[in-house]
Amino acid sequence: QVQLVESGGGLVQAGGSLRLSCRASGMTFEINSMGWYRQALGKQRELVASISSNSYTNYGDSVKGRFTISRDNDKNTVYLQMNDVKAEDTGVYYCNAARRYYTSPFWGQGTQVTVSS
């Protein structure tokens, strides 16, 4: 089993920056890609950014040019640097880890990000 623990969420003003972290523990050999998803109140969960084990990245359209995902494989940690945040970025951010041999991914508990105007 893999456990994902997010940290770094909080309240930030529009135009500001925030850095999220997600550390994986347990059977980390099962992990391939990792990523961040978010869910706003009353909305479906959507992709924010993902990163492969060799640092290939993919971003949701709404965050391109503002957010940067990175990972430290030795520490089994993925980061999300959020710059120029907007009110629409408000939501619960969930860490995700894709499994190498299974279709069902691992999920963290989520961390709240609130952007004030």
Side-chain angles (χ1 to χ4, degrees):
Q1 184 64 272
V2 169
Q3 295 80 46
L4 303 174
V5 179
E6 304 100 332
S7 62
L11 177 65
V12 61
Q13 67 182 48
S17 297
L18 202 64
R19 180 178 168 90
L20 306 183
S21 299
C22 172
R23 182 178 182 273
S25 61
M27 302 293 184
T28 56
F29 66 89
E30 295 187 27
I31 297 175
N32 189 0
S33 298
M34 297 185 70
W36 290 94
Y37 288 71
R38 69 187 181 191
Q39 186 168 19
L41 189 63
K43 303 293 184 180
Q44 294 190 48
R45 192 172 300 183
E46 65 176 356
L47 172 70
V48 177
S50 64
I51 184 168
S52 70
S53 59
N54 62 347
S55 298
Y56 178 85
T57 58
N58 185 44
Y59 294 92
D61 289 340
S62 64
V63 306
K64 289 179 179 177
R66 299 188 297 118
F67 293 4
T68 302
I69 189 170
S70 61
R71 68 189 295 171
D72 185 332
N73 291 327
D74 291 336
K75 297 181 179 179
N76 296 311
T77 301
V78 64
Y79 306 93
L80 183 69
Q81 179 66 45
M82 306 168 60
N83 295 328
D84 190 26
V85 296
K86 304 175 180 179
E88 65 195 47
D89 296 322
T90 293
V92 179
Y93 283 67
Y94 296 92
C95 184
N96 166 276
R99 303 168 71 180
R100 296 176 67 187
Y101 307 114
Y102 303 92
T103 59
S104 180
F106 298 108
W107 292 97
Q109 293 296 310
T111 184
Q112 177 71 42
V113 172
T114 302
V115 180
S116 64
S117 60

